[in-house]
Amino acid sequence: MISYRPLWETMRKKNVTTYTLIKDYHFSKGTLDALKHERNISTATLDDICRILDCRVDEVLVYLPDGSRKA
């Protein structure tokens, strides 16, 4: 399972809010909802997030084997 838990910590560290993503970077609320509910996103969206936050992929998501929810 892919978890986006690292994303929320990275956003806190970079002082970027979901409001900022919507207002300044034109993120859709649907994309943010997908991230919050750990649904699939495209690699293009992942690329956008890394560019906006100036971070690595591992600061956005983590792979959790066997559906483990620990991160």
Side-chain angles (χ1 to χ4, degrees):
M1 163 182 157
I2 299 295
S3 172
Y4 299 106
R5 287 185 189 170
L7 169 64
W8 311 115
E9 181 61 28
T10 300
M11 287 175 61
R12 275 190 288 279
K13 288 178 183 175
K14 306 266 184 172
N15 293 314
V16 175
T17 65
T18 55
Y19 178 77
T20 302
L21 291 176
I22 293 167
K23 183 176 181 285
D24 296 342
Y25 298 100
H26 310 290
F27 258 66
S28 75
K29 292 179 183 178
T31 298
L32 290 170
D33 187 64
L35 290 163
K36 287 180 184 177
H37 292 96
E38 299 191 351
R39 293 191 300 262
N40 294 335
I41 61 168
S42 71
T43 53
T45 299
L46 184 56
D47 183 61
D48 289 342
I49 292 168
C50 290
R51 181 181 39 78
I52 290 165
L53 297 177
D54 188 29
C55 69
R56 299 179 320 270
V57 172
D58 65 341
E59 294 175 283
V60 176
L61 60 83
V62 64
Y63 170 70
L64 303 173
D66 301 318
S68 171
R69 294 221 173 243
K70 296 177 185 174

